[in-house]
Amino acid sequence: VCMTAYPHVPFRPGRLPAAEMVGRGVEFLDQMNRRRSVRVFTDEPVAREAIELAVRTAGTAPSGAHHQPWTFVLVDDPALKRRIRAGAEAEEREFYEHRAPPEWLEALAPLGTDWRKPFLEVAPYLIVVFRHAYRIGAGGTHLKTYYSTESVGIAVGLLIASLQTMGLCTLTHTPSPMEFLNAILGRPENERPFVLLPVGHAAPHATVPDLRRKPLTEICVWNGGPP
Ligand code: IYR
């Protein structure tokens, strides 16, 4: 059993003046608040470097026991994108036409989505995020990971924020079930598909639903709220 402690090193994160602290927060909120889930992309190329920067940013996420239980598979090969689209559309067709309970379809109706996923071929990149359900130890033993779902969720949040700061658009797409992605991308059994993100630029004719975000007063209470 490996139980060597990390050596500790000094950490001096530095401080901002109060006004700059708030100013940066306002600026970041404004930038994140401009993000919308996009379902119609252009095939315009995007620098690979931008995608790798977003993944490096995602990789800074905190994770249970620092196991970093994630793999980001970057796809720009047209043949692979075509196979992923075919796999996703087969599952989605089944979902929309048979599997989804009426209540779920009702919840989705305002978004106007259906089983067709052309963006999986049109967007220049797909990022397929895998969560490590366990780790493979010496001799092929299975070792636990901790809070892997939470960890990967945080990482994907950072990924999306990074893409947004670079002026790129994405969609958090979850074809269900997603096991077909292991077969197409050759990922091992311990890696579970978590989310699939097409990345690129929004088509000039793209529209998004006119959603409203809950204001602070609806998502936040101080100290347990009024008595
Ligand atoms: N995975 C399907 C259905 C879907 C589910 C939820 I929850 C959404 O917010 C949107 C869509 C699809 O991608 O169409």
Side-chain angles (χ1 to χ4, degrees), residues 103-151:
E103 194 185 356
W104 194 341
L105 292 178
E106 243 166 74
L108 293 181
L111 299 176
T113 55
D114 63 30
W115 63 267
R116 290 176 193 83
K117 307 297 175 192
F119 55 77
L120 294 176
E121 276 190 90
V122 176
Y125 299 103
L126 305 178
I127 305 178
V128 189
V129 185
F130 288 84
R131 173 184 72 88
H132 298 192
Y134 56 87
R135 297 173 298 144
I136 315 287
T141 55
H142 293 188
L143 303 173
K144 274 181 71 67
T145 59
Y146 302 94
Y147 300 102
S148 63
T149 305
E150 291 83 348
S151 304

mmCIF file of all heavy atoms in Angstrom, residues 103-151:
data_model
loop_
_atom_site.group_PDB
_atom_site.id
_atom_site.type_symbol
_atom_site.label_atom_id
_atom_site.label_comp_id
_atom_site.label_asym_id
_atom_site.label_seq_id
_atom_site.Cartn_x
_atom_site.Cartn_y
_atom_site.Cartn_z
ATOM 1 N N GLU A 103 -43.471 12.360 -18.715
ATOM 2 C CA GLU A 103 -43.111 13.512 -17.877
ATOM 3 C C GLU A 103 -41.781 14.131 -18.326
ATOM 4 O O GLU A 103 -41.621 15.357 -18.331
ATOM 5 C CB GLU A 103 -43.025 13.048 -16.418
ATOM 6 C CG GLU A 103 -42.991 14.191 -15.430
ATOM 7 C CD GLU A 103 -42.791 13.718 -13.995
ATOM 8 O OE1 GLU A 103 -42.756 12.488 -13.758
ATOM 9 O OE2 GLU A 103 -42.658 14.588 -13.123
ATOM 10 N N TRP A 104 -40.826 13.273 -18.696
ATOM 11 C CA TRP A 104 -39.517 13.760 -19.138
ATOM 12 C C TRP A 104 -39.667 14.498 -20.476
ATOM 13 O O TRP A 104 -39.120 15.584 -20.674
ATOM 14 C CB TRP A 104 -38.529 12.587 -19.223
ATOM 15 C CG TRP A 104 -37.084 13.010 -19.349
ATOM 16 C CD1 TRP A 104 -36.629 14.241 -19.744
ATOM 17 C CD2 TRP A 104 -35.914 12.227 -19.070
ATOM 18 N NE1 TRP A 104 -35.254 14.265 -19.739
ATOM 19 C CE2 TRP A 104 -34.784 13.044 -19.328
ATOM 20 C CE3 TRP A 104 -35.702 10.904 -18.646
ATOM 21 C CZ2 TRP A 104 -33.472 12.579 -19.164
ATOM 22 C CZ3 TRP A 104 -34.392 10.458 -18.486
ATOM 23 C CH2 TRP A 104 -33.295 11.284 -18.740
ATOM 24 N N LEU A 105 -40.418 13.902 -21.398
ATOM 25 C CA LEU A 105 -40.625 14.551 -22.698
ATOM 26 C C LEU A 105 -41.297 15.911 -22.517
ATOM 27 O O LEU A 105 -40.973 16.875 -23.224
ATOM 28 C CB LEU A 105 -41.459 13.647 -23.618
ATOM 29 C CG LEU A 105 -40.761 12.367 -24.087
ATOM 30 C CD1 LEU A 105 -41.695 11.530 -24.951
ATOM 31 C CD2 LEU A 105 -39.462 12.681 -24.843
ATOM 32 N N GLU A 106 -42.208 15.981 -21.557
ATOM 33 C CA GLU A 106 -42.878 17.250 -21.264
ATOM 34 C C GLU A 106 -41.883 18.297 -20.774
ATOM 35 O O GLU A 106 -41.962 19.466 -21.141
ATOM 36 C CB GLU A 106 -43.926 17.034 -20.165
ATOM 37 C CG GLU A 106 -45.356 17.298 -20.590
ATOM 38 C CD GLU A 106 -46.320 16.734 -19.555
ATOM 39 O OE1 GLU A 106 -46.430 17.344 -18.480
ATOM 40 O OE2 GLU A 106 -46.923 15.674 -19.837
ATOM 41 N N ALA A 107 -40.928 17.852 -19.936
ATOM 42 C CA ALA A 107 -39.917 18.770 -19.403
ATOM 43 C C ALA A 107 -39.011 19.281 -20.520
ATOM 44 O O ALA A 107 -38.517 20.414 -20.467
ATOM 45 C CB ALA A 107 -39.097 18.074 -18.319
ATOM 46 N N LEU A 108 -38.783 18.431 -21.538
ATOM 47 C CA LEU A 108 -37.887 18.812 -22.643
ATOM 48 C C LEU A 108 -38.589 19.646 -23.709
ATOM 49 O O LEU A 108 -37.938 20.387 -24.449
ATOM 50 C CB LEU A 108 -37.297 17.555 -23.301
ATOM 51 C CG LEU A 108 -36.340 16.747 -22.440
ATOM 52 C CD1 LEU A 108 -35.811 15.557 -23.234
ATOM 53 C CD2 LEU A 108 -35.181 17.617 -21.967
ATOM 54 N N ALA A 109 -39.924 19.510 -23.784
ATOM 55 C CA ALA A 109 -40.677 20.162 -24.862
ATOM 56 C C ALA A 109 -40.337 21.649 -25.038
ATOM 57 O O ALA A 109 -40.154 22.101 -26.170
ATOM 58 C CB ALA A 109 -42.176 19.958 -24.656
ATOM 59 N N PRO A 110 -40.211 22.431 -23.946
ATOM 60 C CA PRO A 110 -39.890 23.854 -24.131
ATOM 61 C C PRO A 110 -38.565 24.091 -24.847
ATOM 62 O O PRO A 110 -38.364 25.160 -25.433
ATOM 63 C CB PRO A 110 -39.826 24.408 -22.696
ATOM 64 C CG PRO A 110 -40.574 23.423 -21.865
ATOM 65 C CD PRO A 110 -40.414 22.096 -22.530
ATOM 66 N N LEU A 111 -37.640 23.120 -24.791
ATOM 67 C CA LEU A 111 -36.333 23.296 -25.436
ATOM 68 C C LEU A 111 -36.386 22.958 -26.922
ATOM 69 O O LEU A 111 -35.511 23.362 -27.687
ATOM 70 C CB LEU A 111 -35.278 22.418 -24.744
ATOM 71 C CG LEU A 111 -35.025 22.721 -23.262
ATOM 72 C CD1 LEU A 111 -34.033 21.712 -22.684
ATOM 73 C CD2 LEU A 111 -34.501 24.136 -23.072
ATOM 74 N N GLY A 112 -37.396 22.205 -27.332
ATOM 75 C CA GLY A 112 -37.542 21.873 -28.744
ATOM 76 C C GLY A 112 -36.482 20.922 -29.273
ATOM 77 O O GLY A 112 -36.196 20.920 -30.469
ATOM 78 N N THR A 113 -35.884 20.104 -28.407
ATOM 79 C CA THR A 113 -34.865 19.159 -28.875
ATOM 80 C C THR A 113 -35.529 17.916 -29.474
ATOM 81 O O THR A 113 -36.689 17.626 -29.195
ATOM 82 C CB THR A 113 -33.956 18.711 -27.706
ATOM 83 O OG1 THR A 113 -34.776 18.184 -26.660
ATOM 84 C CG2 THR A 113 -33.146 19.877 -27.165
ATOM 85 N N ASP A 114 -34.796 17.213 -30.317
ATOM 86 C CA ASP A 114 -35.267 15.904 -30.790
ATOM 87 C C ASP A 114 -34.057 14.978 -30.953
ATOM 88 O O ASP A 114 -32.954 15.324 -30.527
ATOM 89 C CB ASP A 114 -36.091 16.038 -32.077
ATOM 90 C CG ASP A 114 -35.279 16.587 -33.235
ATOM 91 O OD1 ASP A 114 -34.047 16.353 -33.289
ATOM 92 O OD2 ASP A 114 -35.859 17.271 -34.101
ATOM 93 N N TRP A 115 -34.261 13.810 -31.588
ATOM 94 C CA TRP A 115 -33.186 12.814 -31.633
ATOM 95 C C TRP A 115 -32.092 13.156 -32.633
ATOM 96 O O TRP A 115 -31.003 12.577 -32.601
ATOM 97 C CB TRP A 115 -33.754 11.426 -31.949
ATOM 98 C CG TRP A 115 -34.412 11.314 -33.301
ATOM 99 C CD1 TRP A 115 -35.727 11.492 -33.579
ATOM 100 C CD2 TRP A 115 -33.778 11.012 -34.558
ATOM 101 N NE1 TRP A 115 -35.963 11.329 -34.921
ATOM 102 C CE2 TRP A 115 -34.789 11.017 -35.551
ATOM 103 C CE3 TRP A 115 -32.457 10.727 -34.939
ATOM 104 C CZ2 TRP A 115 -34.507 10.768 -36.901
ATOM 105 C CZ3 TRP A 115 -32.189 10.486 -36.285
ATOM 106 C CH2 TRP A 115 -33.207 10.500 -37.244
ATOM 107 N N ARG A 116 -32.339 14.107 -33.502
ATOM 108 C CA ARG A 116 -31.343 14.420 -34.530
ATOM 109 C C ARG A 116 -30.214 15.247 -33.929
ATOM 110 O O ARG A 116 -30.463 16.277 -33.298
ATOM 111 C CB ARG A 116 -31.989 15.181 -35.684
ATOM 112 C CG ARG A 116 -32.921 14.314 -36.519
ATOM 113 C CD ARG A 116 -33.607 15.136 -37.601
ATOM 114 N NE ARG A 116 -34.706 14.399 -38.207
ATOM 115 C CZ ARG A 116 -35.935 14.338 -37.687
ATOM 116 N NH1 ARG A 116 -36.222 14.987 -36.573
ATOM 117 N NH2 ARG A 116 -36.876 13.632 -38.283
ATOM 118 N N LYS A 117 -28.964 14.827 -34.152
ATOM 119 C CA LYS A 117 -27.814 15.506 -33.553
ATOM 120 C C LYS A 117 -26.751 15.843 -34.596
ATOM 121 O O LYS A 117 -25.589 15.400 -34.496
ATOM 122 C CB LYS A 117 -27.200 14.618 -32.440
ATOM 123 C CG LYS A 117 -28.193 14.145 -31.381
ATOM 124 C CD LYS A 117 -28.812 15.303 -30.599
ATOM 125 C CE LYS A 117 -29.891 14.832 -29.645
ATOM 126 N NZ LYS A 117 -30.693 15.965 -29.106
ATOM 127 N N PRO A 118 -27.127 16.627 -35.632
ATOM 128 C CA PRO A 118 -26.134 16.951 -36.675
ATOM 129 C C PRO A 118 -24.902 17.674 -36.115
ATOM 130 O O PRO A 118 -23.808 17.545 -36.667
ATOM 131 C CB PRO A 118 -26.915 17.861 -37.642
ATOM 132 C CG PRO A 118 -28.164 18.265 -36.934
ATOM 133 C CD PRO A 118 -28.449 17.196 -35.922
ATOM 134 N N PHE A 119 -25.068 18.366 -34.999
ATOM 135 C CA PHE A 119 -23.918 19.106 -34.440
ATOM 136 C C PHE A 119 -22.753 18.177 -34.100
ATOM 137 O O PHE A 119 -21.616 18.615 -34.015
ATOM 138 C CB PHE A 119 -24.340 19.932 -33.216
ATOM 139 C CG PHE A 119 -25.025 19.157 -32.116
ATOM 140 C CD1 PHE A 119 -24.303 18.358 -31.252
ATOM 141 C CD2 PHE A 119 -26.408 19.253 -31.947
ATOM 142 C CE1 PHE A 119 -24.929 17.654 -30.233
ATOM 143 C CE2 PHE A 119 -27.046 18.553 -30.923
ATOM 144 C CZ PHE A 119 -26.307 17.740 -30.072
ATOM 145 N N LEU A 120 -23.039 16.886 -33.918
ATOM 146 C CA LEU A 120 -21.948 15.956 -33.583
ATOM 147 C C LEU A 120 -20.993 15.762 -34.761
ATOM 148 O O LEU A 120 -19.869 15.314 -34.578
ATOM 149 C CB LEU A 120 -22.515 14.612 -33.117
ATOM 150 C CG LEU A 120 -23.292 14.671 -31.790
ATOM 151 C CD1 LEU A 120 -23.902 13.312 -31.467
ATOM 152 C CD2 LEU A 120 -22.396 15.140 -30.642
ATOM 153 N N GLU A 121 -21.447 16.087 -35.976
ATOM 154 C CA GLU A 121 -20.546 16.031 -37.126
ATOM 155 C C GLU A 121 -20.086 17.404 -37.586
ATOM 156 O O GLU A 121 -19.000 17.547 -38.145
ATOM 157 C CB GLU A 121 -21.239 15.334 -38.311
ATOM 158 C CG GLU A 121 -21.164 13.840 -38.261
ATOM 159 C CD GLU A 121 -21.649 13.225 -39.563
ATOM 160 O OE1 GLU A 121 -20.814 13.034 -40.468
ATOM 161 O OE2 GLU A 121 -22.871 12.966 -39.661
ATOM 162 N N VAL A 122 -20.920 18.415 -37.350
ATOM 163 C CA VAL A 122 -20.622 19.763 -37.868
ATOM 164 C C VAL A 122 -19.580 20.479 -37.009
ATOM 165 O O VAL A 122 -18.641 21.085 -37.539
ATOM 166 C CB VAL A 122 -21.912 20.609 -37.949
ATOM 167 C CG1 VAL A 122 -21.585 22.034 -38.387
ATOM 168 C CG2 VAL A 122 -22.916 19.960 -38.905
ATOM 169 N N ALA A 123 -19.724 20.415 -35.691
ATOM 170 C CA ALA A 123 -18.787 21.130 -34.807
ATOM 171 C C ALA A 123 -17.374 20.601 -35.048
ATOM 172 O O ALA A 123 -17.187 19.392 -35.251
ATOM 173 C CB ALA A 123 -19.190 20.932 -33.347
ATOM 174 N N PRO A 124 -16.369 21.479 -35.038
ATOM 175 C CA PRO A 124 -15.011 21.022 -35.355
ATOM 176 C C PRO A 124 -14.453 20.025 -34.341
ATOM 177 O O PRO A 124 -13.614 19.201 -34.689
ATOM 178 C CB PRO A 124 -14.180 22.317 -35.382
ATOM 179 C CG PRO A 124 -15.017 23.357 -34.717
ATOM 180 C CD PRO A 124 -16.441 22.947 -34.885
ATOM 181 N N TYR A 125 -14.916 20.102 -33.072
ATOM 182 C CA TYR A 125 -14.415 19.176 -32.055
ATOM 183 C C TYR A 125 -15.545 18.588 -31.232
ATOM 184 O O TYR A 125 -16.552 19.257 -30.961
ATOM 185 C CB TYR A 125 -13.472 19.887 -31.067
ATOM 186 C CG TYR A 125 -12.261 20.474 -31.710
ATOM 187 C CD1 TYR A 125 -12.184 21.844 -31.932
ATOM 188 C CD2 TYR A 125 -11.192 19.670 -32.110
ATOM 189 C CE1 TYR A 125 -11.065 22.402 -32.536
ATOM 190 C CE2 TYR A 125 -10.077 20.213 -32.710
ATOM 191 C CZ TYR A 125 -10.021 21.581 -32.928
ATOM 192 O OH TYR A 125 -8.919 22.127 -33.531
ATOM 193 N N LEU A 126 -15.314 17.362 -30.788
ATOM 194 C CA LEU A 126 -16.116 16.780 -29.718
ATOM 195 C C LEU A 126 -15.150 16.512 -28.565
ATOM 196 O O LEU A 126 -14.052 15.996 -28.776
ATOM 197 C CB LEU A 126 -16.772 15.472 -30.162
ATOM 198 C CG LEU A 126 -17.628 15.527 -31.437
ATOM 199 C CD1 LEU A 126 -18.158 14.135 -31.775
ATOM 200 C CD2 LEU A 126 -18.777 16.527 -31.263
ATOM 201 N N ILE A 127 -15.568 16.906 -27.374
ATOM 202 C CA ILE A 127 -14.816 16.524 -26.173
ATOM 203 C C ILE A 127 -15.670 15.497 -25.436
ATOM 204 O O ILE A 127 -16.791 15.813 -25.021
ATOM 205 C CB ILE A 127 -14.527 17.728 -25.247
ATOM 206 C CG1 ILE A 127 -13.807 18.845 -26.005
ATOM 207 C CG2 ILE A 127 -13.706 17.281 -24.031
ATOM 208 C CD1 ILE A 127 -13.524 20.096 -25.159
ATOM 209 N N VAL A 128 -15.163 14.291 -25.319
ATOM 210 C CA VAL A 128 -15.904 13.247 -24.610
ATOM 211 C C VAL A 128 -15.221 13.042 -23.253
ATOM 212 O O VAL A 128 -14.043 12.682 -23.193
ATOM 213 C CB VAL A 128 -15.955 11.931 -25.403
ATOM 214 C CG1 VAL A 128 -16.907 10.949 -24.726
ATOM 215 C CG2 VAL A 128 -16.401 12.191 -26.844
ATOM 216 N N VAL A 129 -15.971 13.332 -22.196
ATOM 217 C CA VAL A 129 -15.399 13.280 -20.846
ATOM 218 C C VAL A 129 -15.755 11.935 -20.216
ATOM 219 O O VAL A 129 -16.934 11.554 -20.177
ATOM 220 C CB VAL A 129 -15.936 14.433 -19.976
ATOM 221 C CG1 VAL A 129 -15.231 14.431 -18.611
ATOM 222 C CG2 VAL A 129 -15.756 15.774 -20.681
ATOM 223 N N PHE A 130 -14.738 11.240 -19.732
ATOM 224 C CA PHE A 130 -14.935 9.965 -19.045
ATOM 225 C C PHE A 130 -14.602 10.120 -17.561
ATOM 226 O O PHE A 130 -13.613 10.759 -17.201
ATOM 227 C CB PHE A 130 -14.045 8.878 -19.651
ATOM 228 C CG PHE A 130 -14.490 8.429 -21.014
ATOM 229 C CD1 PHE A 130 -14.121 9.138 -22.158
ATOM 230 C CD2 PHE A 130 -15.281 7.297 -21.163
ATOM 231 C CE1 PHE A 130 -14.531 8.714 -23.426
ATOM 232 C CE2 PHE A 130 -15.687 6.864 -22.422
ATOM 233 C CZ PHE A 130 -15.318 7.582 -23.554
ATOM 234 N N ARG A 131 -15.434 9.507 -16.741
ATOM 235 C CA ARG A 131 -15.227 9.463 -15.284
ATOM 236 C C ARG A 131 -14.629 8.107 -14.925
ATOM 237 O O ARG A 131 -15.125 7.070 -15.373
ATOM 238 C CB ARG A 131 -16.581 9.631 -14.581
ATOM 239 C CG ARG A 131 -16.559 9.437 -13.086
ATOM 240 C CD ARG A 131 -17.965 9.537 -12.498
ATOM 241 N NE ARG A 131 -18.793 8.380 -12.812
ATOM 242 C CZ ARG A 131 -18.845 7.262 -12.088
ATOM 243 N NH1 ARG A 131 -18.097 7.148 -11.001
ATOM 244 N NH2 ARG A 131 -19.626 6.270 -12.454
ATOM 245 N N HIS A 132 -13.578 8.128 -14.110
ATOM 246 C CA HIS A 132 -12.982 6.859 -13.688
ATOM 247 C C HIS A 132 -13.781 6.311 -12.504
ATOM 248 O O HIS A 132 -13.745 6.886 -11.414
ATOM 249 C CB HIS A 132 -11.521 7.047 -13.284
ATOM 250 C CG HIS A 132 -10.652 7.533 -14.408
ATOM 251 N ND1 HIS A 132 -9.275 7.551 -14.337
ATOM 252 C CD2 HIS A 132 -10.957 8.011 -15.652
ATOM 253 C CE1 HIS A 132 -8.778 8.015 -15.469
ATOM 254 N NE2 HIS A 132 -9.776 8.314 -16.282
ATOM 255 N N ALA A 133 -14.494 5.229 -12.707
ATOM 256 C CA ALA A 133 -15.312 4.638 -11.645
ATOM 257 C C ALA A 133 -14.433 3.911 -10.626
ATOM 258 O O ALA A 133 -14.795 3.771 -9.471
ATOM 259 C CB ALA A 133 -16.336 3.681 -12.236
ATOM 260 N N TYR A 134 -13.310 3.420 -11.072
ATOM 261 C CA TYR A 134 -12.297 2.839 -10.179
ATOM 262 C C TYR A 134 -10.955 2.936 -10.879
ATOM 263 O O TYR A 134 -10.899 3.263 -12.070
ATOM 264 C CB TYR A 134 -12.635 1.386 -9.810
ATOM 265 C CG TYR A 134 -12.828 0.458 -10.989
ATOM 266 C CD1 TYR A 134 -11.745 -0.199 -11.557
ATOM 267 C CD2 TYR A 134 -14.099 0.247 -11.534
ATOM 268 C CE1 TYR A 134 -11.924 -1.049 -12.645
ATOM 269 C CE2 TYR A 134 -14.281 -0.601 -12.621
ATOM 270 C CZ TYR A 134 -13.189 -1.241 -13.171
ATOM 271 O OH TYR A 134 -13.365 -2.075 -14.258
ATOM 272 N N ARG A 135 -9.871 2.707 -10.121
ATOM 273 C CA ARG A 135 -8.526 2.723 -10.692
ATOM 274 C C ARG A 135 -7.997 1.301 -10.759
ATOM 275 O O ARG A 135 -8.403 0.459 -9.961
ATOM 276 C CB ARG A 135 -7.590 3.585 -9.826
ATOM 277 C CG ARG A 135 -8.002 5.050 -9.777
ATOM 278 C CD ARG A 135 -7.155 5.813 -8.768
ATOM 279 N NE ARG A 135 -7.338 5.309 -7.414
ATOM 280 C CZ ARG A 135 -6.375 5.229 -6.500
ATOM 281 N NH1 ARG A 135 -5.163 5.632 -6.789
ATOM 282 N NH2 ARG A 135 -6.637 4.747 -5.297
ATOM 283 N N ILE A 136 -7.096 1.086 -11.692
ATOM 284 C CA ILE A 136 -6.514 -0.246 -11.830
ATOM 285 C C ILE A 136 -5.191 -0.248 -11.074
ATOM 286 O O ILE A 136 -4.279 0.516 -11.423
ATOM 287 C CB ILE A 136 -6.259 -0.590 -13.314
ATOM 288 C CG1 ILE A 136 -7.466 -0.210 -14.185
ATOM 289 C CG2 ILE A 136 -5.889 -2.061 -13.468
ATOM 290 C CD1 ILE A 136 -8.676 -1.086 -14.045
ATOM 291 N N GLY A 137 -5.094 -1.091 -10.055
ATOM 292 C CA GLY A 137 -3.862 -1.170 -9.262
ATOM 293 C C GLY A 137 -2.920 -2.218 -9.817
ATOM 294 O O GLY A 137 -3.152 -2.792 -10.892
ATOM 295 N N ALA A 138 -1.843 -2.459 -9.053
ATOM 296 C CA ALA A 138 -0.864 -3.480 -9.448
ATOM 297 C C ALA A 138 -1.566 -4.828 -9.563
ATOM 298 O O ALA A 138 -2.420 -5.158 -8.741
ATOM 299 C CB ALA A 138 0.257 -3.531 -8.417
ATOM 300 N N GLY A 139 -1.221 -5.572 -10.612
ATOM 301 C CA GLY A 139 -1.829 -6.880 -10.814
ATOM 302 C C GLY A 139 -3.289 -6.831 -11.215
ATOM 303 O O GLY A 139 -4.012 -7.805 -11.064
ATOM 304 N N GLY A 140 -3.709 -5.635 -11.690
ATOM 305 C CA GLY A 140 -5.079 -5.507 -12.201
ATOM 306 C C GLY A 140 -6.152 -5.394 -11.132
ATOM 307 O O GLY A 140 -7.340 -5.502 -11.431
ATOM 308 N N THR A 141 -5.739 -5.184 -9.871
ATOM 309 C CA THR A 141 -6.748 -5.022 -8.812
ATOM 310 C C THR A 141 -7.514 -3.724 -9.014
ATOM 311 O O THR A 141 -6.997 -2.765 -9.603
ATOM 312 C CB THR A 141 -6.086 -5.002 -7.416
ATOM 313 O OG1 THR A 141 -5.088 -3.980 -7.410
ATOM 314 C CG2 THR A 141 -5.471 -6.343 -7.078
ATOM 315 N N HIS A 142 -8.735 -3.712 -8.524
ATOM 316 C CA HIS A 142 -9.570 -2.509 -8.618
ATOM 317 C C HIS A 142 -9.430 -1.686 -7.346
ATOM 318 O O HIS A 142 -9.681 -2.170 -6.252
ATOM 319 C CB HIS A 142 -11.047 -2.895 -8.830
ATOM 320 C CG HIS A 142 -11.286 -3.530 -10.168
ATOM 321 N ND1 HIS A 142 -12.549 -3.808 -10.650
ATOM 322 C CD2 HIS A 142 -10.421 -3.919 -11.139
ATOM 323 C CE1 HIS A 142 -12.448 -4.357 -11.847
ATOM 324 N NE2 HIS A 142 -11.176 -4.437 -12.160
ATOM 325 N N LEU A 143 -9.018 -0.415 -7.509
ATOM 326 C CA LEU A 143 -8.904 0.483 -6.359
ATOM 327 C C LEU A 143 -10.002 1.531 -6.441
ATOM 328 O O LEU A 143 -10.355 1.999 -7.522
ATOM 329 C CB LEU A 143 -7.529 1.184 -6.369
ATOM 330 C CG LEU A 143 -6.313 0.256 -6.368
ATOM 331 C CD1 LEU A 143 -5.032 1.068 -6.546
ATOM 332 C CD2 LEU A 143 -6.272 -0.551 -5.060
ATOM 333 N N LYS A 144 -10.521 1.903 -5.285
ATOM 334 C CA LYS A 144 -11.618 2.869 -5.246
ATOM 335 C C LYS A 144 -11.160 4.268 -5.677
ATOM 336 O O LYS A 144 -10.009 4.638 -5.511
ATOM 337 C CB LYS A 144 -12.171 2.983 -3.818
ATOM 338 C CG LYS A 144 -13.228 1.936 -3.484
ATOM 339 C CD LYS A 144 -13.746 2.129 -2.062
ATOM 340 C CE LYS A 144 -14.614 3.357 -1.899
ATOM 341 N NZ LYS A 144 -15.904 3.260 -2.627
ATOM 342 N N THR A 145 -12.097 5.030 -6.239
ATOM 343 C CA THR A 145 -11.910 6.482 -6.351
ATOM 344 C C THR A 145 -12.986 7.098 -5.461
ATOM 345 O O THR A 145 -13.940 6.422 -5.086
ATOM 346 C CB THR A 145 -12.087 7.008 -7.788
ATOM 347 O OG1 THR A 145 -13.405 6.686 -8.227
ATOM 348 C CG2 THR A 145 -11.071 6.417 -8.739
ATOM 349 N N TYR A 146 -12.823 8.350 -5.126
ATOM 350 C CA TYR A 146 -13.736 8.993 -4.187
ATOM 351 C C TYR A 146 -14.384 10.209 -4.821
ATOM 352 O O TYR A 146 -13.705 11.018 -5.450
ATOM 353 C CB TYR A 146 -12.976 9.377 -2.909
ATOM 354 C CG TYR A 146 -12.344 8.156 -2.281
ATOM 355 C CD1 TYR A 146 -11.029 7.815 -2.572
ATOM 356 C CD2 TYR A 146 -13.084 7.315 -1.460
ATOM 357 C CE1 TYR A 146 -10.447 6.679 -2.039
ATOM 358 C CE2 TYR A 146 -12.520 6.170 -0.920
ATOM 359 C CZ TYR A 146 -11.204 5.856 -1.213
ATOM 360 O OH TYR A 146 -10.639 4.729 -0.699
ATOM 361 N N TYR A 147 -15.683 10.342 -4.635
ATOM 362 C CA TYR A 147 -16.413 11.502 -5.169
ATOM 363 C C TYR A 147 -16.087 11.746 -6.638
ATOM 364 O O TYR A 147 -15.919 12.892 -7.065
ATOM 365 C CB TYR A 147 -16.114 12.758 -4.330
ATOM 366 C CG TYR A 147 -16.524 12.600 -2.879
ATOM 367 C CD1 TYR A 147 -15.575 12.342 -1.895
ATOM 368 C CD2 TYR A 147 -17.869 12.696 -2.522
ATOM 369 C CE1 TYR A 147 -15.955 12.181 -0.568
ATOM 370 C CE2 TYR A 147 -18.260 12.534 -1.193
ATOM 371 C CZ TYR A 147 -17.310 12.271 -0.220
ATOM 372 O OH TYR A 147 -17.696 12.120 1.085
ATOM 373 N N SER A 148 -15.985 10.674 -7.406
ATOM 374 C CA SER A 148 -15.569 10.876 -8.802
ATOM 375 C C SER A 148 -16.620 11.662 -9.581
ATOM 376 O O SER A 148 -16.279 12.469 -10.448
ATOM 377 C CB SER A 148 -15.265 9.540 -9.477
ATOM 378 O OG SER A 148 -16.418 8.729 -9.533
ATOM 379 N N THR A 149 -17.893 11.455 -9.272
ATOM 380 C CA THR A 149 -18.937 12.190 -10.011
ATOM 381 C C THR A 149 -18.845 13.681 -9.722
ATOM 382 O O THR A 149 -18.890 14.512 -10.642
ATOM 383 C CB THR A 149 -20.329 11.654 -9.637
ATOM 384 O OG1 THR A 149 -20.347 10.247 -9.859
ATOM 385 C CG2 THR A 149 -21.407 12.299 -10.483
ATOM 386 N N GLU A 150 -18.708 14.009 -8.442
ATOM 387 C CA GLU A 150 -18.579 15.427 -8.079
ATOM 388 C C GLU A 150 -17.318 16.014 -8.722
ATOM 389 O O GLU A 150 -17.342 17.132 -9.253
ATOM 390 C CB GLU A 150 -18.500 15.584 -6.549
ATOM 391 C CG GLU A 150 -19.788 15.251 -5.818
ATOM 392 C CD GLU A 150 -19.981 13.755 -5.548
ATOM 393 O OE1 GLU A 150 -19.227 12.930 -6.113
ATOM 394 O OE2 GLU A 150 -20.907 13.414 -4.776
ATOM 395 N N SER A 151 -16.215 15.267 -8.640
ATOM 396 C CA SER A 151 -14.937 15.766 -9.166
ATOM 397 C C SER A 151 -15.033 16.055 -10.661
ATOM 398 O O SER A 151 -14.597 17.109 -11.138
ATOM 399 C CB SER A 151 -13.837 14.731 -8.907
ATOM 400 O OG SER A 151 -13.765 14.417 -7.524
#
